[in-house]
Amino acid sequence: MTTQKSTTAGSPVLASLALLASQISLNAGAAVAKHLFPLVGVEGVTAYRIGFAALLMMAIFRPWRVPLTWRQAGNVAVYGSVIGLMNLLIYRAFSHIPMGIAVAIEVSGPLAVAVWTSRRPRDLAAVGLAVLGLYFLLPLHGKVDQLDPVGVAYAAGAAVCWALYIVFGKRVSVMHGGQSVAWGMTAGALFIVPLGAWTSGAVLLTPSFMAVGLAIAVMSSALPYTLEMLSMRSLSSRTFSMFSSAAPALSALAGMVLLGEHLTPTQWLAIASIVAASALTTLR
């Protein structure tokens, strides 16, 4: 009896550590990917991540054991295409602006969905915080540290894709979690991998680059997904969302430590404002 209570009590702590580990793995994978951009191109790195992740997910979950209906296949096709495009756009953003800022802008997508589907007065405060943060991040002031507008546009596109990912993710949520993600990754790979092969060419077949690409797929997709699935069993949706809302800050820290991307105090305050807005929408 004592052992059972101890295990149950400790499970939320382990789940929180698993979720933190997933964020660390995701950001470490993004940092490795950014180092590979000059060698195989952004499209090539995206092809590695989506392609290898699709192979891993298909091997692990074997989703073909449960046939899809035509309706499910259509939703999965859109869902997977959004996944592929979202990864491509955020990697494009990483190639122009710091990781933390790109993710802060990208988070505005799910934040907009959360606010749009809610009628709580508290969300008005979240909108205000998000707008304030974006105002100080977007290239509107003409300062020396002004961000590259192209990178901001890519991050904004990734934000739109993240919002669509949530919408279509709900439509495939009736399927088994592993099945939906495995098919989704495969659908995304069907157009991302040919795009990467056409853009980068034969350099993608370099064994050393392929090994790094496989590591990126594991760190950025396979491992974070597995750890998040484990953490969901013990954490409430509110706690899970609170952890996820810290993604821009963790990305900024990873960029600073792993890539030397030092932000200005104003940019840190802007990221903190967006993190606070995202966290506020999770309070239910």
Side-chain angles (χ1 to χ4, degrees), residues 118-250:
S118 173
R119 297 295 182 270
R120 296 172 298 161
R122 184 188 301 120
D123 289 327
L124 295 176
V127 171
L129 287 171
V131 170
L132 180 65
L134 290 173
Y135 173 77
F136 286 109
L137 283 183
L138 298 181
L140 303 173
H141 317 291
K143 296 181 180 179
V144 177
D145 58 351
Q146 178 176 330
L147 297 175
D148 185 345
V150 175
V152 172
Y154 281 130
V160 174
C161 288
W162 198 345
L164 293 174
Y165 167 83
I166 294 173
V167 173
F168 285 95
K170 288 183 178 295
R171 298 185 182 182
V172 301
S173 62
V174 294
M175 302 163 54
H176 186 273
Q179 183 191 27
S180 61
V181 174
W183 281 126
M185 282 289 183
T186 301
L190 289 178
F191 86 92
I192 288 294
V193 172
L195 176 63
W198 178 73
T199 304
S200 302
V203 69
L204 283 181
L205 299 178
T206 305
S208 58
F209 294 164
M210 292 181 69
V212 178
L214 177 59
I216 292 171
V218 172
M219 289 189 292
S220 298
S221 296
L223 184 58
Y225 172 75
T226 302
L227 291 173
E228 286 180 2
M229 289 294 290
L230 292 174
S231 65
M232 285 179 183
R233 298 176 182 177
S234 301
L235 296 179
S236 65
S237 58
R238 174 184 172 183
T239 304
F240 184 87
S241 299
M242 288 290 287
F243 268 97
S244 300
S245 66
L250 293 175

Side-chain angles (χ1 to χ4, degrees), residues 15-64:
S16 299
L17 292 175
L19 191 55
L20 178 61
S22 74
Q23 290 287 339
I24 293 174
S25 177
L26 182 65
N27 286 293
V32 174
K34 193 163 182 175
H35 282 299
L36 199 60
F37 288 166
L39 301 176
V40 299
V42 174
E43 288 80 5
V45 176
T46 309
Y48 280 150
R49 175 178 175 177
I50 299 296
F52 282 129
L55 292 175
L56 291 171
M57 293 293 183
M58 293 293 281
I60 293 172
F61 295 106
R62 294 177 289 173
W64 57 83

Side-chain angles (χ1 to χ4, degrees), residues 51-126:
F52 282 129
L55 292 175
L56 291 171
M57 293 293 183
M58 293 293 281
I60 293 172
F61 295 106
R62 294 177 289 173
W64 57 83
R65 294 178 296 176
V66 181
L68 297 177
T69 65
W70 283 107
R71 183 181 180 84
Q72 288 175 331
N75 286 331
V76 163
V78 178
Y79 170 70
S81 299
V82 168
I83 290 177
L85 186 58
M86 179 172 63
N87 280 276
L88 177 60
L89 290 175
I90 196 61
Y91 274 0
R92 272 287 178 189
F94 287 168
S95 67
H96 291 272
I97 60 178
M99 281 173 45
I101 294 177
V103 174
I105 296 172
E106 185 189 27
V107 163
S108 64
L111 179 60
V113 173
V115 173
W116 182 262
T117 56
S118 173
R119 297 295 182 270
R120 296 172 298 161
R122 184 188 301 120
D123 289 327
L124 295 176

